Amino acid sequence: MRRVILALPLLALAAPAAAQDTDAGLDEMARTMGDPIRQQAMARALGTMAEVLLDLPLAPILGPLAEAAGEDPRSVDPDATLRKVSPGAGEVPRQIERQLPRAMGAVAGMSGALASTLPALRDAAERMREALPSDLP
């Protein structure tokens, strides 16, 4: 178990090029996710997709499920949609549009923080590797 715990932080040391790509990737993710224009575009796109999903027919799914549960599949409303079955679901697209930009901003902040912490984590992993006996099980 100790070997596994020690191996995780050392992975960054094993492949410096990959680690540098990780740094660049985290920086790029922070910039992308923190861009208000991109946040609004993603919120609108996902809100629109959620709106479409609310109106998909559910009968082709609910019929076989009812039958599998021992119920009469003919009792399923052939016009059932998520919007009809759960009227409160109609608010989900608006919630996505309101909350997604804030969530993307939080991810941007975490990505940036992780990117800035990676050098210190690599240094700590190197110090641990040097400090531990090489014959540990």
Side-chain angles (χ1 to χ4, degrees):
M1 179 65 158
R2 187 172 181 186
R3 180 178 287 169
V4 171
I5 292 171
L6 293 174
L8 292 175
L10 294 176
L11 286 176
L13 296 172
Q20 288 174 351
D21 288 346
T22 300
D23 290 353
L26 287 171
D27 287 338
E28 178 62 25
M29 184 182 349
R31 278 191 300 278
T32 300
M33 299 292 268
D35 177 8
I37 293 170
R38 176 133 345 183
Q39 291 172 351
Q40 289 302 319
M42 288 293 296
R44 280 191 306 276
L46 290 177
T48 299
M49 291 183 346
E51 195 70 46
V52 169
L53 290 174
L54 288 174
D55 294 321
L56 285 178
L58 294 179
I61 298 168
L62 295 177
L65 287 175
E67 189 172 8
E71 299 173 11
D72 183 1
R74 294 173 295 181
S75 67
V76 172
D77 178 1
D79 298 321
T81 64
L82 191 54
R83 189 183 308 275
K84 288 179 182 177
V85 172
S86 179
E91 182 55 26
V92 170
R94 279 354 102 224
Q95 290 175 357
I96 289 171
E97 290 175 11
R98 280 193 304 270
Q99 296 174 11
L100 187 64
R102 184 170 11 114
M104 288 177 70
V107 169
M110 289 183 284
S111 298
L114 183 56
S116 67
T117 306
L118 280 176
L121 291 172
R122 285 191 195 101
D123 183 52
E126 178 63 25
R127 288 194 318 255
M128 283 185 226
R129 187 180 63 76
E130 291 171 356
L132 293 171
S134 60
D135 62 344
L136 282 176

